[in-house]
């Protein structure tokens, strides 16, 4: 996958605002990160660019590792993590829907 885009604090704040009213699209349960979940996440990023993921695994370290692995595998940026919810951003290659503010 491609390298994740480096986002400025201003851009992260903008994306957090957009994500605030959205519900998690991807739910990860106690079985952890599977290839099927990773594939669905990649498809969701392609369709929406900004995706919330809820990881309901018992251990904090495991949850943080799962969120980091999702970002790495998909080439997305982890914009925010609050509790069990992570917000990820990856612009569409050809026609980005979300236009980020300048740095």
């Amino acid at each position: 996958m491609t390298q994740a885009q480096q986002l400025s604090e201003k851009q992260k704040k903008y994306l957090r605002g957009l994500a605030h009213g959205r519900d998690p699209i991807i739910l990860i349960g106690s079985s952890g990160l599977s290839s099927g979940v990773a594939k669905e996440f990649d498809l969701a990023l392609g369709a929406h660019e900004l995706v919330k993921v809820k990881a309901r695994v018992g251990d904090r370290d495991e949850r943080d590792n799962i969120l980091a692995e999702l970002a790495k595998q998909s080439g997305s940026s982890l914009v925010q993590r609050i509790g069990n919810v992570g917000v990820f951003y990856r612009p569409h290659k050809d026609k980005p829907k979300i236009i980020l503010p300048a740095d």
Side-chain angles (χ1 to χ4, degrees), residues 25-26 34 56 83 91:
I25 294 176
I26 305 293
S34 67
R56 303 211 84 199

Side-chain angles (χ1 to χ4, degrees), residues 53-75:
V53 175
K54 189 169 203 171
R56 303 211 84 199
V57 294
D59 183 69
R60 280 183 181 188
D61 291 334
E62 184 181 354
R63 175 201 60 213
D64 291 346
N65 288 338
I66 286 172
L67 295 179
E69 187 60 29
L70 272 176
K72 181 180 168 190
Q73 286 182 13
S74 65

Side-chain angles (χ1 to χ4, degrees), residues 7-46:
L7 299 170
S8 69
E9 282 305 311
K10 183 177 181 180
Q11 291 169 332
K12 286 182 180 180
K13 183 176 181 181
Y14 176 74
L15 291 170
R16 286 193 302 263
L18 290 178
H20 181 71
R22 298 183 183 200
D23 291 325
I25 294 176
I26 305 293
L27 303 174
I28 300 172
S30 58
S31 58
L33 181 60
S34 67
S35 61
V37 169
K39 184 177 179 181
E40 284 299 316
F41 176 68
D42 195 54
L43 290 172
L45 273 174

